[in-house]
Structures are given as C-alpha cells and as structure tokens.
Amino acid sequence: MDFSAFLDGFALVAEPHNLLYCLIGVLIGMIIGVLPGLGPAATIAILLPITYTIDPVSAIIMLAGIYYGAQYGGTITSVLLRLPGEASSVVTVFDGFALAKQGKAGTALGIAAIGSFVGATISIIGLTLLAPVVASVALDFGPPEYAALALLGVLLVATIGSGNKLKALIAGAVGLLLATVGRDSFSGASRFTFDSLQLADGIDFVVVAMGLFGVGEILYNLEQRHGKPHVPAKVGNVWPSRKDLKQSSGAIGRGSIIGFVLGVLPGGGATLSSIVAYATEKKRSKTPERFGRGAVEGVAAPETANNAAATSSFIPLLTIGLPANASMAMLFGALLILGISPGPQLVDEHPDVFWGVINSMYIGNLLLLLLSIPLVGIFVKILRVRPAILAPITALITILGVYTINNSVFDIFLMIVFGVIGYLMKKFGFDPGSMVLAFVLGTIIESSTRRSLLIFDGDPTGFVTRPISGAILAIFVVVALLPVFRQVHRRRSEPAGVEPPTSVTKV
C-alpha cells in the first residue's frame, strides 16, 4: 500500500469543502433512511445530474456518504414504527420494535449507533488494506476475465439475495436486453431502436435509474403509506447500559466480520449480511427464545453487519469496476459521468478519488456517530411529514434532474415509462435492483465477450483455458447448479412413502 497516497487522501478529505460535502452526504443519507420507500439508490439516482457541476472527488464523497448514512437512518423507523426504512433494516424490526414497546427505544437506537460505527470502522480498515491488493491483482484481468466476472455478478444478484430467485432472473434478463438498445459499438448496426434517433445512442443509465428508483419508488411508497398514519414510539435514554454493551460486544464483533465478507459479493450486500448476522446470533445464543422479544443482540448484530457490508461493497466497485448492489451501480454511473472509469487503474490514474472516497468514510462514520443520537428527536418529526407533501417535491426534482442531462423532453417521457415499470415491478415482487445491475453489467459482458472472441479467433474454449476466467466460470457453474443439488438432496433425505405436509403449523 502506498502510505504517501493514503496520507494525501486524508489531507484532501480534510479540505473544508470536502468535509462539507461529506457532512451533507451523511445528513441526506440519514434523512433518506428515515423516510421509508425512497432509499439510497433512488436518492443517488435523483442527485446524479448535480454531479456535473461538482468536483469529482467532492461529488463521490457526498454520494458515498448518502449510501452508508442511509443504513443507520433506516434503523430509526424500524425501532420506532416497526417500519424498516431500508431493506437492510428489516431484521432490526424483530427486536428493535419489541425493545421500543418495553420503553427501551433509546437503548435500541444507541446500540445500533455504536454497532454501526464499530462495524463500519473495522470494514473501512479492511477496505484500506485490501483494496490496493485487489487492484494490483486485477491488473492481470483482461476481456475474458471481465466477461466471466460480470456474468457471475449477474447470476449472484439473482441467487444470493433473499427475494424470489425466478423473478430476480427475469428482471436481470430484461436489464441485459435493455443494455443492447442502440448502435452496435462494433458494427454500427442499430438494435431495438425502432427507427428512433433518440434511442440511437442507447438508453441513458441515469434515465433508467431515476425512473425505476425515483418515480417508481415514489408511486409505490404513496400507495403503501396512503391512509396509514404511524405514531412513533417515545425515545428515552439513548445511552445503553454497561450490561447491554457487554451482551452486544460479541454480536458486534461477529457482525463486523460477516458484513465485511458478504458485502464484497455481488448480490450479497447489507440485506443478506443483516439476515446472516441475526441468524448466527440466534443460533449461538443459549436463550434463543429471547430473540424477537427484545434481545439487544438482535439489534446489534444486523445493524453492525449491514454497515460493515455497505463499506466493503466499495471493494469490487473501486478495484474491479463491478458494482455489488443497486446503490453501487448508481455510484458506478456517477463515476462514469465524471469521466472516471472504476477498475484496477483507478488507484494509479485517480489516486485522489480512490483514497479520497476511502478516507472520507473514516470521517463520515464518525460524523454519523456524533449526529445520530442527538438528532433522533428531529428525525421523529420528519416521520410525521405526509407522503402527499413529500412525493410531489421529489417528483419535481426528479423531472428537472433528468431534463438537465441532455435538455431532452424525450428523456422525461422515457423516465416516466421506467417509473411505471419500476412501480409495477415493486408491486408484483420483482426487484428493480436486479434490472439496473444487469443493465450496467450487460455492456461489460457484451463488449468483453466480443473482444475476447477476437483475441481467441472465435474459439470460445479460450475462456476456459485461461486460469482466472476458467476459475470464475467454474464458480459460475457451481452457483448455477447449487439450487438443483439442494433440491435433489432434499428429495433424497425425505422418507419414502411419506406425504409432504399440506399445512404449516406456526410455533
């Protein structure tokens, strides 16, 4: 690791304007996390046009702050309203709201803040040490390796997540199809443009992102929250007792490791990490019956894990150029808009961006710890804002933002179309994140595959004979066949002649 570049990154972040953007980012992130339904991916998508007018380092620092700041903001609604502001905070609802009903909402929020800070800090240290190593190894990557890695990324998005696997695969397939719209970069032939000049250059990533996440989330959130008033629970002392800290220490340590490891995987991220961390603590506990009834470990473990995962997901983005989740896909698009290509060359070509983003997280997470507890009262008031007031303001910002990209009315209509698609996807259980990730990775898959075939003179076995790409494709096959193996094993383990149960009795 280049320590001089690392120290220069701290000096860059310490500049007043970068500190200000870091503070703005974490504040917006916390507020967005508090508002159920919007989310960091939608917010980053809405703010992408603003990055045109900001210094690249400052812009990425702010957008990164929005992402990891939202992880804690979602905790507040999970504890006070039993309403997760983020998907990664769903597990926190189980014990967080139970503690709130016992008058310990402050304890739950305090433990969550401490766990989030510890998990994120450990993950940032791992990111600092590991990212340059991964970047140096990634220098050996060529088109075949990138094609195999991007293909594996699309599969992992569908198979690792906790949602419906078939629906995730369908959404990913649609995303891959959308990535082919426009002129063929190799032959110049038009594909799926329907003789429209506006589609000749392809579909703009920002339009897709702002439609699916911005407009789509607004419509879905309005429907879900219409006529459902929520009264937040009262918050008492936010400082956890020594007993609570002792009970949570093991959960925080294990959650940090689980979050860091799973955050690196495409499709893993904060949501899966929080689920695995919670399940681990419940399995290890000598009194598992406490979980779901107000166990502080049930808050500490998932909150630590999701913040650790939010940080470690920057490793594949910055070092390989592979976004691990929907929010990383938004940051990937922001970097491209700013003329910066994420990948192994980033640490050498743009060390200010590479180390500026990483080092800003040290300061950003400290700001989160300092701000999260004192600002709880303000966030409770924000929860009382009616969606009917908030939605039109957000929609107006979204429309103005997408128009300023190309000064194109066509982009506005296209964004509205994707907004309706995003709303329908959420309504029928399809994850828009899978489509956006596949849309981003689809371009990498196509260009890298075709370049590889040119290198191999059209022989596809070249993908297998190269060590790295061959190993990645072997992992792809294992992951693809894993559900089949599980199904076969489940059938073999069932006693012969025993009918499967027709109903499930709740315990």
Side-chain angles (χ1 to χ4, degrees):
M1 186 177 76
D2 188 350
F3 280 99
S4 61
F6 173 72
L7 295 175
D8 289 342
F10 265 120
L12 183 65
V13 176
E15 293 179 5
H17 67 284
N18 285 329
L19 286 175
L20 177 61
Y21 279 113
C22 184
L23 176 62
I24 292 172
V26 296
L27 274 176
I28 293 176
M30 291 178 74
I31 294 170
I32 291 305
V34 167
L35 297 172
L38 196 53
T43 307
I44 294 172
I46 292 169
L47 294 178
L48 280 178
I50 298 176
T51 59
Y52 285 106
T53 59
I54 304 176
D55 175 73
V57 177
S58 302
I60 299 302
I61 285 174
M62 181 183 71
L63 295 179
I66 292 172
Y67 175 53
Y68 56 80
Q71 302 303 319
Y72 179 74
T75 309
I76 297 173
T77 52
S78 296
V79 172
L80 301 183
L81 297 177
R82 201 180 184 181
L83 186 67
E86 293 303 313
S88 57
S89 298
V90 169
V91 185
T92 309
V93 168
F94 303 152
D95 289 278
F97 188 70
L99 284 168
K101 288 197 297 183
Q102 298 169 17
K104 298 180 180 179
T107 299
L109 293 174
I111 283 290
I114 294 170
S116 299
F117 175 75
V118 173
T121 302
I122 291 175
S123 190
I124 296 167
I125 294 171
L127 173 61
T128 303
L129 298 174
L130 191 60
V133 178
V134 176
S136 63
V137 173
L139 289 171
D140 296 329
F141 277 40
E145 286 72 26
Y146 274 105
L149 194 62
L151 188 64
L152 178 63
V154 173
L155 180 66
L156 288 175
V157 165
T159 56
I160 286 185
S162 57
N164 186 291
K165 307 295 186 292
L166 178 60
K167 290 181 178 180
L169 281 171
I170 293 172
V174 175
L176 291 174
L177 180 64
L178 291 173
T180 64
V181 174
R183 289 194 191 92
D184 188 318
S185 57
F186 286 80
S187 67
S190 295
R191 303 181 301 187
F192 306 111
T193 59
F194 306 101
D195 296 325
S196 171
L197 292 176
Q198 288 90 346
L199 292 175
D201 292 328
I203 302 174
D204 197 301
F205 166 78
V206 179
V207 174
V208 176
M210 294 179 76
L212 290 176
F213 289 106
V215 178
E217 292 285 353
I218 291 169
L219 294 174
Y220 182 77
N221 191 34
L222 278 174
E223 180 185 59
Q224 293 298 307
R225 296 186 68 189
H226 179 69
K228 297 179 181 179
H230 295 276
V231 180
K234 293 183 179 180
V235 179
N237 181 24
V238 294
W239 296 108
S241 65
R242 185 174 298 180
K243 179 184 176 183
D244 292 328
L245 290 173
K246 185 177 180 180
Q247 278 185 318
S248 305
S249 58
I252 290 173
R254 287 183 288 271
S256 300
I257 297 171
I258 291 171
F260 180 80
V261 173
L262 294 183
V264 177
L265 298 176
T271 304
L272 180 65
S273 301
S274 62
I275 295 171
V276 172
Y278 185 87
T280 301
E281 293 308 310
K282 187 174 182 179
K283 189 174 182 179
R284 284 179 56 89
S285 177
K286 295 179 180 179
T287 54
E289 65 276 2
R290 293 190 304 112
F291 284 77
R293 300 179 181 178
V296 289
E297 307 99 294
V299 174
E303 285 304 307
T304 302
N306 67 35
N307 279 269
T311 301
S312 64
S313 60
F314 279 85
I315 292 177
L317 175 69
L318 297 177
T319 59
I320 306 176
L322 187 72
N325 52 56
S327 296
M328 288 296 105
M330 301 300 113
L331 287 168
F332 181 88
L335 287 166
L336 294 180
I337 288 171
L338 296 167
I340 300 169
S341 298
Q345 299 292 344
L346 182 64
V347 66
D348 294 321
E349 295 178 356
H350 300 281
D352 54 339
V353 174
F354 185 86
W355 290 113
V357 171
I358 292 176
N359 292 342
S360 70
M361 295 181 191
Y362 288 100
I363 298 174
N365 277 284
L366 182 60
L367 289 173
L368 275 174
L369 181 65
L370 296 175
L371 294 173
S372 57
I373 295 175
L375 293 181
V376 166
I378 296 176
F379 292 141
V380 170
K381 292 181 181 179
I382 292 174
L383 290 172
R384 301 181 188 276
V385 177
R386 289 189 301 164
I389 297 174
L390 189 66
I393 298 173
T394 309
L396 179 61
I397 295 172
T398 305
I399 292 171
L400 290 175
V402 78
Y403 179 77
T404 57
I405 298 171
N406 298 314
N407 293 331
S408 170
V409 177
F410 177 80
D411 284 349
I412 296 177
F413 286 110
L414 195 60
M415 180 192 69
I416 293 172
V417 170
F418 278 109
V420 174
I421 293 172
Y423 161 74
L424 294 174
M425 290 180 72
K426 293 278 288 185
K427 189 174 179 63
F428 292 103
F430 290 84
D431 182 14
S434 299
M435 182 188 290
V436 171
L437 276 167
F439 179 75
V440 172
L441 296 174
T443 305
I444 300 174
I445 292 173
E446 182 185 12
S447 61
S448 298
T449 301
R450 295 175 73 173
R451 286 193 179 97
S452 300
L453 291 174
L454 289 174
I455 295 171
F456 301 145
D457 293 325
D459 183 8
T461 59
F463 288 100
V464 182
T465 55
R466 286 172 67 108
I468 299 178
S469 61
I472 295 171
L473 288 174
I475 296 172
F476 175 89
V477 172
V478 171
V479 173
L481 295 178
L482 194 59
V484 179
F485 292 147
R486 286 177 177 172
Q487 187 69 21
V488 172
H489 177 72
R490 190 181 298 115
R491 287 180 179 177
R492 287 182 176 179
S493 61
E494 289 178 357
V498 177
E499 292 292 329
T502 57
S503 62
V504 178
T505 304
K506 292 185 178 180
V507 180

